Amino acid sequence: MSKNIDKSFLFSEEMEFLFESVFDKLPIAIDILDAEGNIRMINKTFLDYLGLEKDKVINKYVLDVDRNSRFPLVLKTGQNEIAYRHKFANGKEAIVHRIAIKDGDEVIGGFGMILFEDLNELRKLIEKNRLLETELEHYKKTLRKIHGAKYSWENIIGKSDAIVECKKKAMKMANMDSNILIYGESGVGKELFAHAIHNSSKRRDYPFVTVNCAAIPEQLMESELFGYEEGAFTGAQKGGKIGKFELANHGTIFLDEIGDMPYTMQAKLLRVLQEGEIERVGGKAPIKVDVRVISATNKDLSKLVKEGKFRSDLFYRINVLMLNVPPLRERKEDIPLLIDHFLSLLTQNSGIYKKVSKEVYDILEKYDWPGNIRELRNVIERMVVNSEGDIIRKTDIPLYILKKELPVRKKGSGLQEMLEEFEKEIIFETLKECNYNKSQAAEILKIPRSRLYRKLKKFGILEENNEVK
Ligand SMILES: Nc1ncnc2c1ncn2[C@@H]1O[C@H](COP(=O)(O)OP(=O)(O)OP(=O)(O)O)[C@@H](O)[C@H]1O
Ligand SMILES: [Mg+2]
């Protein structure tokens, strides 16, 4: 049932009291007219704008106060005029609303209001807004470049049935908008798939933000993911910090190594996925976010669920779609293609041009590649750097692949070089054995972890960010 305002209320003392006590103090110019066009109430802001005293206005016919007013027309027709440009008799230009107040069909009065007091100010505002929008667009683009996905389907090399099937499945998933869990052994290309999926999804023009759940210390995880407000804790940055989820808004967040997400964080992550909103650390109100989650793991999450290490409710939320990336040993026909691909990447990046002998292709194709494509890539890079001449031969293949117990003495190498080579082999093989877990490798080798890191950096196995290449 719609309620009507009746005339006796509109022009009652209560209404006048309300007008004076509330509306007089508003910084917006407003007035109320009766059906005949007499100004019955007007606030101080409006009077100041007109430059008139109240007694020169109140109960006067509107055209006697402002000869340009269109209110008589509005009161006659009952047609509201919203955001009209109006030039007052005093020469000032503004944007105004004129609204007919009705009791049923009968016009019983009028409500006037100035939306923008000064058209020049409005023009400036619009111009400023336009500049800000251009600037914003620029920053959005830059951000997209930084947080964009780097790889697409063409970067995923392979013609084996296994990888072709996997790509097809992933392409289908890209067109849906559900969360995806990518499962696969270390180095199979999970990250590559995550990039390519985002890049061909409807979210491709928005950010792709990666979070390595294993690399962020537990106590920093919440603020990394959800951000924090200024003063949330000691050492908090001025102005606060935006979290990865907010950064990824409308795009995709890639939660790499999700199996390493601390248990307490899992509950918080679950809430975000359920509610579609995040809460900054020290923040007062939740913030809506629209983010697709792609997670990746090389751990058996259902096993972790059974062991009570991973929340089952979170597992179901992230695992709406599941993509299994096959290990390299199950698609050996891709090995020659991948070798060529990595050689040509090296040529592009460093200008070094080398070929691989037939024998080398054969040996590398037979090997089982427990470290998958990452290991293959490493081996190619090391062979390219270490080999002499422009052909890579059998003697350039790392010994652990050739399954020799001891290094052969290479022509021209001194003892130091040979020892280093041997050390490299041992470290590399140990790393591979424990799935590139550096702490475990250090333990097996009985050396401190820091020493292992130093050696890995020296051998070029470890990158600056401490990731195994
Ligand atoms: N099909 C492929 N074609 C070309 N390069 C690939 C392919 N798959 C993987 N790579 C390359 O192999 C390396 C490892 O891939 P990626 O980092 O995606 O593996 P991952 O499954 O995420 O490994 P991890 O579990 O260790 O994080 C990268 O250098 C990537 O570019
Ligand atoms: Mg990865």
Side-chain angles (χ1 to χ4, degrees):
M1 204 184 90
S2 71
K3 274 193 181 160
N4 291 335
I5 297 186
D6 77 58
K7 215 188 290 188
S8 57
F9 170 71
L10 185 61
F11 300 110
S12 64
E13 273 178 26
E14 286 95 328
M15 185 65 188
E16 237 165 80
F17 175 72
L18 179 75
F19 200 89
E20 272 165 24
S21 59
V22 180
F23 296 161
D24 233 14
K25 298 183 180 64
L26 279 183
I28 305 163
I30 48 182
D31 64 355
I32 292 181
L33 284 73
D34 61 24
E36 288 71 44
N38 301 308
I39 299 172
R40 299 288 291 267
M41 290 167 229
I42 182 160
N43 72 350
K44 192 170 172 311
T45 312
F46 212 152
L47 288 170
D48 289 349
Y49 181 79
L50 295 172
L52 295 171
E53 294 298 321
K54 193 167 183 176
D55 60 348
K56 294 264 175 337
V57 177
I58 218 81
N59 291 329
K60 298 279 184 310
Y61 184 52
V62 64
L63 288 183
D64 292 337
V65 177
D66 172 27
R67 63 173 180 277
N68 297 340
S69 177
R70 286 170 56 87
F71 243 127
L73 187 71
V74 171
L75 295 172
K76 202 170 140 205
T77 61
Q79 300 280 317
N80 296 337
E81 294 187 345
I82 302 294
Y84 267 55
R85 188 168 160 175
H86 181 69
K87 192 165 188 169
F88 285 90
N90 65 9
K92 287 185 178 174
E93 268 193 283
I95 302 285
V96 301
H97 293 333
R98 296 183 199 97
I99 294 161
I101 306 170
K102 292 179 184 171
D103 180 3
D105 284 337
E106 187 200 354
V107 176
I108 57 165
F111 178 81
M113 171 178 167
I114 301 183
L115 196 59
F116 281 104
E117 290 187 8
D118 184 341
L119 270 193
N120 282 331
E121 279 300 313
L122 178 63
R123 281 191 201 105
K124 274 189 221 156
L125 207 67
I126 291 171
E127 178 62 12
K128 197 171 163 196
N129 195 33
R130 204 182 53 76
L131 284 176
L132 280 176
E133 268 180 14
T134 322
E135 217 170 298
L136 188 66
E137 205 40 52
H138 167 75
Y139 286 122
K140 273 190 185 164
K141 265 193 199 145
T142 315
L143 203 65
R144 246 174 260 156
K145 254 186 228 159
I146 301 171
H147 292 290
K150 291 196 220 68
Y151 309 104
S152 46
W153 304 118
E154 311 85 78
N155 300 103
I156 302 178
I157 305 297
K159 63 173 171 37
S160 62
D161 290 348
I163 199 73
V164 171
E165 267 311 303
C166 185
K167 266 167 97 169
K168 261 195 210 154
K169 213 172 151 193
M171 282 174 195
K172 267 195 207 146
M173 290 180 180
N175 294 329
M176 306 185 220
D177 203 35
S178 313
N179 293 340
I180 303 177
L181 177 66
I182 306 180
Y183 173 78
E185 289 177 16
S186 184
V188 285
K190 296 186 290 295
E191 186 161 353
L192 218 57
F193 269 95
H195 279 254
I197 289 171
H198 170 80
N199 250 342
S200 74
S201 77
K202 64 172 187 181
R203 295 173 178 267
R204 65 178 158 265
D205 291 329
Y206 292 95
F208 176 84
V209 177
T210 299
V211 179
N212 187 334
C213 305
I216 303 170
E218 182 165 354
Q219 64 276 22
L220 294 186
M221 186 78 96
E222 186 173 1
S223 61
E224 273 291 314
L225 289 181
F226 310 134
Y228 58 76
E229 294 294 346
E230 183 169 331
F233 44 83
T234 36
Q237 205 169 289
K238 204 161 172 278
K241 192 180 165 208
I242 188 169
K244 303 275 191 186
F245 265 91
E246 260 183 277
L247 208 55
N249 203 10
H250 304 301
T252 306
I253 195 162
F254 176 46
L255 301 177
D256 203 0
E257 320 255 16
I258 184 93
D260 289 295
M261 171 80 64
Y263 200 80
T264 48
M265 271 312 294
Q266 292 177 18
K268 291 184 178 157
L269 178 62
L270 176 72
R271 223 187 43 232
V272 173
L273 300 190
Q274 281 168 341
E275 314 290 331
E277 50 188 35
I278 55 131
E279 241 167 78
R280 288 185 175 187
V281 178
K284 289 185 185 64
I287 303 168
K288 280 246 161 276
V289 286
D290 159 33
V291 175
R292 180 190 208 181
V293 179
I294 302 184
S295 324
T297 185
N298 54 18
K299 294 187 174 159
D300 181 351
L301 284 192
S302 49
K303 191 166 154 243
L304 290 186
V305 168
K306 275 189 208 117
E307 290 167 359
K309 290 180 187 147
F310 203 87
R311 296 182 63 111
S312 61
D313 39 12
L314 178 62
F315 178 58
Y316 294 117
R317 281 270 166 184
I318 58 170
N319 187 23
V320 181
L321 303 172
M322 158 94 157
L323 186 70
N324 209 330
V325 185
L328 190 54
R329 66 180 169 282
E330 286 174 15
R331 42 174 163 130
K332 286 197 163 174
E333 62 263 51
D334 291 339
I335 292 172
L337 277 182
L338 284 163
I339 296 174
D340 293 346
H341 171 68
F342 292 132
L343 284 176
S344 81
L345 275 187
L346 280 167
T347 310
Q348 272 172 40
N349 297 337
S350 65
I352 305 174
Y353 175 76
K354 290 200 182 185
K355 280 187 290 194
V356 167
S357 69
K358 170 84 179 57
E359 196 183 13
V360 170
Y361 277 116
D362 290 344
I363 296 168
L364 297 187
E365 218 179 314
K366 284 199 189 87
Y367 179 66
D368 260 349
W369 300 106
N372 291 296
I373 303 179
R374 179 181 293 112
E375 186 185 3
L376 174 63
R377 183 176 190 161
N378 264 320
V379 167
I380 304 290
E381 286 177 6
R382 292 173 65 203
M383 292 195 308
V384 165
V385 174
N386 294 340
S387 62
E388 282 167 23
D390 57 2
I391 305 226
I392 296 168
R393 298 173 203 284
K394 186 178 170 187
T395 46
D396 299 313
I397 297 179
L399 293 161
Y400 72 82
I401 291 178
L402 293 172
K403 299 213 182 333
K404 288 215 173 137
E405 309 264 281
L406 281 168
V408 275
R409 193 168 65 80
K410 273 192 197 156
K411 256 197 196 147
S413 309
L415 178 64
Q416 188 58 34
E417 255 173 90
M418 282 189 282
L419 285 176
E420 262 185 20
E421 187 64 19
F422 191 37
E423 194 180 19
K424 218 189 303 189
E425 301 299 347
I426 292 170
I427 289 178
F428 208 71
E429 190 164 14
T430 315
L431 265 178
K432 195 162 48 79
E433 248 172 48
C434 48
N435 224 352
Y436 296 92
N437 182 328
K438 279 152 269 163
S439 317
Q440 208 180 331
E443 228 167 80
I444 295 173
L445 294 168
K446 296 195 173 68
I447 56 170
R449 211 156 61 119
S450 54
R451 191 159 149 215
L452 177 67
Y453 271 68
R454 263 201 317 279
K455 290 199 180 292
L456 291 176
K457 276 193 184 144
K458 183 172 154 206
F459 298 150
I461 299 173
L462 199 67
E463 281 176 323
E464 276 314 303
N465 58 6
N466 287 344
E467 285 287 317
V468 173
K469 264 195 203 169

